[in-house]
Amino acid sequence: MTRPARVVLDAAALTHNFSVVRRCAPGAHIYAVVKANAYGHGAPWVAGVLSEAGSDGFAVACLEEAVALREAGIAARVLLLEGCVDDAELRSACALGLDTVVHCEAQLRALLAGGRVPGRALWLKVDSGMGRLGMDGAAARAAWGPLRALLGTDQSLGLMTHLACGDEPLDSYTDVQLGRFDALARALQAPLCTAANSAAVLAAPAAHGHWVRPGLMLYGASPLQGRSAAALGLRPVATFQSDIIAVKCLPAGAPVGYGRSAVTQRPTRLGIVAAGYADGYPRHVAAGTTVLLRGQRVALLGRVSMDMLAIDLTDCAAATHGDTVTLWGGGLPVEEVAAAAGTIAYDLLCRPAARVRRVVQGG
Ligand SMILES: *Cc1c(COP(=O)(O)O)cnc(C)c1O
């Protein structure tokens, strides 16, 4: 017997979402963002599928993630979004042929001292107003010439930034950031620019530049507030499921779960599902949060435990031991469960734990 908690992965949905990126940003190259184990979907699997689909490259948060891609046989360009943290990483990046980022003076000094640039592209990252990684305009102008002098003939220097309000399409702050970024790009005559995450791919064509960096939308979740993934033409790639491992009948007034925080309001048919917070289901969800069972929404009852959660089957007479329960994914948007848990889809997608099997649909 294997634990029934599983993430079912849909390669066709992933390929479809990638084609939406292509359609939205037809002139741009794509670094498909596969950091954090591809937002929990399995970076080797995602990179394999998207290599087939023709992704120009991949982007990761750290060297370990880049190594995992190379070990999985991914030969495409891989971008280290935060650059190298020390000289050892810089040497590894050279050996693995990784595109890198230089976002601060320390990285700049290390690159200049090392005397060579890894990969095909080096991205000078500027902080156009996010207040996270990146140099200010003056530092970037000073760094540009020395960095360009380091490049080999087959390498290019690009300008990079990250947008703070990409998820609010009408936010004028995106225009402020892009205005600063474009002015700097013109002043430096930067041959390459990259600014767009998923939200900007979908809602800010002016940000597309030469390379886009979509993450969330590839996995079929919406990066835009108030716009559903379905309305954006995106399909969920991961469906988090488990099975009912017990069914029981309780009288009205019976406590359910830890702390007796819930008490049945009526004679209740209770289902116990083999998925808890240690599997990645959020412990703090609002009362009345639902799962999907036989095409029907069914509400949780009581607290989520480490390995299990309870659902109210009273109004789902057909439900039985062994039934599949969808926690989020196909038929139950992850954004909805995220809202019920007071968080965002990004957070939930990354959560399914190591003990949760990944099963490729039809694979
Ligand atoms: C994570 C990340 C992205 C992808 O963002 P999404 O909102 O998931 O599309 C792009 N660029 C950088 C620098 C990132 O850290």
Side-chain angles (χ1 to χ4, degrees), residues 35-59:
K35 64 190 178 188
N37 198 26
Y39 296 42
H41 295 67
W45 176 74
V46 168
V49 171
L50 293 183
S51 289
E52 294 265 306
S55 188
D56 305 290
F58 298 95

Side-chain angles (χ1 to χ4, degrees), residues 31-35 39 59-61 79 81-82 101 125 130 132-133 160-163 166-167 194-201 212-219 223 346:
Y31 280 124
V33 180
V34 295
K35 64 190 178 188
Y39 296 42
V60 295
L79 170 65
L81 286 168
E82 293 161 28
V101 167
K125 184 162 187 180
M130 165 97 180
R132 207 175 62 178
L133 293 185
M160 173 176 176
T161 198
H162 197 53
L163 301 171
D167 62 344
T194 179
N197 56 5
S198 295
V201 165
V212 293
R213 310 187 309 266
L216 189 70
M217 69 181 289
L218 292 172
Y219 308 106
Y346 294 84

